[in-house]
Amino acid sequence: MTGKSEEEMKQNGISLHPLDVAAGPEPELLCIFGTGDLGRSLGLRLLQSGYGVVYGSRRPNSCGPLPQGAQVMTHAEAAQSSNLIFICVHREHYEFLATMEHHLKGKVLVDLSNNLKKGMYPEANAVYMQRLVPSAAVVKGLNTLSAWALQNELLAGKQVFLCGESGEAKQAVAHLATKLGLTVLDKGSLSAARELEDFPLKLFPEWRLPLSIAVGLSAFFFFYLLIRDVIYAYVEKKNDISYRIMVALANKVFPIVALVMLSLCYLPGAIAAFFQLYRGTKYRRFPNWLDRWMLCRKQMGLVALGFAVLHAIYTFIIPIRYSFRHKLISGVVDENNKTTPSYFDNTEAWGTDSFISLGILGFFLFVLLGLTSLPSVGGYLSWREFNFIQSKLGHLTLFICTAHGYIYGWNKFLRPSTYKWYTPPGYMLCLIVPSVVLVLKLLLLLPCVDHTKLNELQHMQGVGGKTHCFCLLPGWLSGWLPASSPGQRSV
């Protein structure tokens, strides 16, 4: 190639580097102490993100397989190669850090350790590390990431927490975490390290209240129906129907719990509305019990959907039960022995078809609500679309499911035989809460004096866990509530 042609290619911006030689800058080198599952998974993820990785190990020649492209050295050699070091070893092995403090001076040490239980040590792991290496800047963070999540690239949008005494050190770690696709929340100084170390030990914290309510309701209605149906039949009629416990009794409990849990998703919104209507402002915090209740409505709805699915499955298997087939065959035999045909009850036919139709429609809307509450689905909806489904269709679902229950017992409410041992059946009890929710919703949506259209209650999570919604106050209600602005209240 002539000098002229080379000059022309340079002027045209064409690289003259050979294809097998890297033209870009060297990747930033990061250090990881520890070659266990977490250390290897973190190194793999960093390599895939364009970083260079060097491992520090006590036995660099026999530390097992490492990600391709990573280097392995002694701890002292690895520490000299990077200013940012991830500590992926257990707390009981921290003592070696004190012996190499002169190598770690001015370095940023990221503590990813967790404990097996709360209060295992008198001080947080990160605080202990900072005490061992006072000349380094210790940052507690990324400890909520598992090796499995790192290997399977399940990091996009996941929130991680950081805390430390050095703002510059936390900024460096936050920048790296952002490049990995993580969302970073700064929790302040190392005094928050114990709180961060306790996060992975929490077992479904947002699901505890919904699951506790569901278990409590299930246990109550199971034993209530067991007494009314099975024990009553045995004591009063000497009839052993204990076989109904497995399917028939369970299939009564599931829809009851599903309907009550669904109504509990919308009851706190109505209570919050009246709280703010009475106070005349939306800027006062709700009571803690109401605030906690409102924050777990999504989980309550999903638990309710689970019980509704169980109800649907148990209903489908009814025809294959022995007791059902025996009753059906006995009915056919009795019908053949009759000399006169049985009377067709048109009202009963209407009631049965309406009951089934409302059940199917309510279950369909129930599933729709559950699907749109998932982040992967709800993320593609606008706020107006999401609010329409979760609020308007949600109350419609509650109304249809409640009507499904009323039609089930429309001709049984006044029968004395319905009240065994003077107790109401389970479906009557489960209709109380949804009926109250629908009545409260109706009160909030009654026509206004000065307005022709009411704003739908819009539940929005605000700063500090506050929940805000906005509606217009019905004129008949505005007379005895504190005034804020004419004809309007923030809910």
Side-chain angles (χ1 to χ4, degrees):
M1 182 181 295
T2 63
K4 181 179 180 181
S5 61
E6 290 181 1
E7 186 66 27
E8 290 177 352
M9 294 180 70
K10 289 181 181 179
Q11 291 177 356
N12 291 331
I14 302 176
S15 175
L16 298 180
H17 291 282
L19 294 178
D20 58 343
V21 177
E26 289 293 328
E28 181 181 353
L29 197 61
L30 302 176
C31 177
I32 299 176
F33 283 0
T35 56
D37 292 338
L38 179 61
R40 292 198 302 268
S41 302
L42 178 61
L44 176 62
R45 185 65 176 173
L46 293 174
L47 287 168
Q48 292 173 345
S49 301
Y51 290 98
V53 174
V54 56
Y55 284 94
S57 174
R58 292 173 296 172
R59 298 181 297 272
N61 297 324
S62 59
C63 59
L66 297 175
Q68 185 176 3
Q71 308 174 52
V72 59
M73 309 175 184
T74 63
H75 288 127
E77 294 172 338
Q80 296 176 359
S81 63
S82 176
N83 291 323
L84 185 61
I85 304 174
F86 295 93
I87 310 299
C88 299
V89 298
H90 295 292
R91 175 188 173 120
E92 52 266 27
H93 302 304
Y94 281 1
E95 288 79 6
F96 79 94
L97 296 174
T99 63
M100 51 181 301
E101 182 181 0
H102 61 286
H103 295 292
L104 301 176
K105 185 177 181 180
K107 307 286 186 178
V108 177
L109 307 183
V110 185
D111 176 27
L112 286 80
S113 65
N114 291 310
N115 297 321
L116 297 178
K117 60 182 180 180
K118 294 183 179 180
M120 192 171 178
Y121 299 102
E123 60 183 349
N125 296 348
V127 175
Y128 175 57
M129 182 184 297
Q130 184 68 83
R131 185 160 56 83
L132 289 176
V133 193
S135 60
V138 175
V139 176
K140 182 70 184 186
L142 309 184
N143 59 305
T144 55
L145 300 178
S146 65
W148 184 83
L150 289 166
Q151 290 176 0
N152 292 275
E153 302 182 4
L154 303 176
L155 303 182
K158 186 176 180 62
Q159 189 177 61
V160 294
F161 306 94
L162 300 178
C163 70
E165 302 297 337
S166 171
E168 294 182 359
K170 288 190 291 184
Q171 185 176 2
V173 179
H175 176 71
L176 181 143
T178 303
K179 290 190 65 175
L180 296 180
L182 300 167
T183 302
V184 180
L185 180 61
D186 190 345
K187 299 290 286 185
S189 66
L190 278 183
S191 60
R194 184 176 291 278
E195 178 186 358
L196 268 61
E197 292 171 1
D198 289 341
F199 279 160
L201 299 177
K202 295 181 179 180
L203 183 63
F204 303 116
E206 296 177 349
W207 291 83
R208 287 182 180 178
L209 180 60
L211 289 176
S212 299
I213 294 175
V215 171
L217 289 172
S218 301
F220 171 78
F221 281 105
F222 177 81
F223 288 107
Y224 182 81
L225 296 175
L226 179 67
I227 295 172
R228 286 194 78 259
D229 296 348
V230 179
I231 298 179
Y232 174 86
Y234 185 78
V235 172
E236 298 292 338
K237 302 179 180 179
K238 304 302 179 183
N239 185 16
D240 184 10
I241 56 173
S242 57
Y243 63 88
R244 295 186 181 180
I245 295 177
M246 299 304 297
V247 176
L249 191 63
N251 200 31
K252 289 183 178 181
V253 174
F254 293 148
I256 290 174
V257 177
L259 182 56
V260 174
M261 292 291 291
L262 178 63
S263 60
L264 290 178
C265 293
Y266 295 96
L267 180 58
I271 295 175
F274 279 95
F275 257 110
Q276 292 186 340
L277 287 173
Y278 179 76
R279 293 170 173 175
T281 177
K282 67 178 181 179
Y283 297 109
R284 290 181 61 184
R285 189 176 182 87
F286 295 130
N288 290 333
W289 60 269
L290 182 58
D291 194 50
R292 183 185 176 194
W293 188 356
M294 298 187 76
L295 291 175
C296 66
R297 288 176 295 175
K298 172 183 175 181
Q299 289 75 16
M300 282 189 177
L302 292 176
V303 171
L305 176 60
F307 277 89
V309 171
L310 288 175
H311 173 52
I313 295 174
Y314 271 61
T315 302
F316 283 136
I317 68 171
I318 286 178
I320 66 175
R321 296 171 62 218
Y322 169 78
S323 58
F324 179 85
R325 290 185 283 113
H326 183 272
K327 184 178 180 180
L328 181 63
I329 294 173
S330 299
V332 173
V333 172
D334 293 342
E335 187 68 26
N336 290 333
N337 293 333
K338 289 183 179 180
T339 57
T340 57
S342 61
Y343 171 72
F344 181 82
D345 190 340
N346 193 61
T347 303
E348 185 70 23
W350 264 101
T352 303
D353 286 1
S354 300
F355 169 73
I356 296 174
S357 178
L358 288 175
I360 295 174
L361 182 58
F363 181 70
F364 169 77
L365 293 176
F366 218 143
V367 174
L368 181 62
L369 290 176
L371 291 177
T372 54
S373 69
L374 299 176
S376 58
V377 178
Y380 289 95
L381 301 175
S382 66
W383 166 246
R384 187 175 183 182
E385 294 168 340
F386 182 81
N387 179 66
F388 174 81
I389 294 175
Q390 292 295 327
S391 182
K392 294 184 178 180
L393 289 187
H395 282 93
L396 177 62
T397 303
L398 181 61
F399 174 79
I400 291 175
C401 293
T402 305
H404 176 68
Y406 273 106
I407 292 178
Y408 173 77
W410 70 274
N411 59 348
K412 305 174 185 177
F413 286 99
L414 300 179
R415 292 180 186 176
S417 60
T418 301
Y419 302 90
K420 302 172 183 177
W421 284 338
Y422 304 102
T423 58
Y427 69 86
M428 287 188 185
L429 294 178
C430 82
L431 290 173
I432 296 175
V433 179
S435 299
V436 170
V437 174
L438 292 174
V439 170
L440 293 177
K441 178 66 175 178
L442 180 63
L443 293 177
L444 291 170
L445 295 182
L446 284 178
C448 299
V449 173
D450 300 324
H451 300 271
T452 60
K453 184 179 180 181
L454 282 173
N455 295 331
E456 184 65 22
L457 289 176
Q458 300 177 352
H459 306 289
M460 302 189 299
Q461 293 301 327
V463 178
K466 294 182 180 179
T467 305
H468 308 296
C469 40
F470 306 91
C471 76
L472 298 178
L473 179 61
W476 67 269
L477 196 58
S478 62
W480 60 276
L481 292 177
S484 58
S485 60
Q488 184 171 354
R489 298 293 185 272
S490 56
V491 181

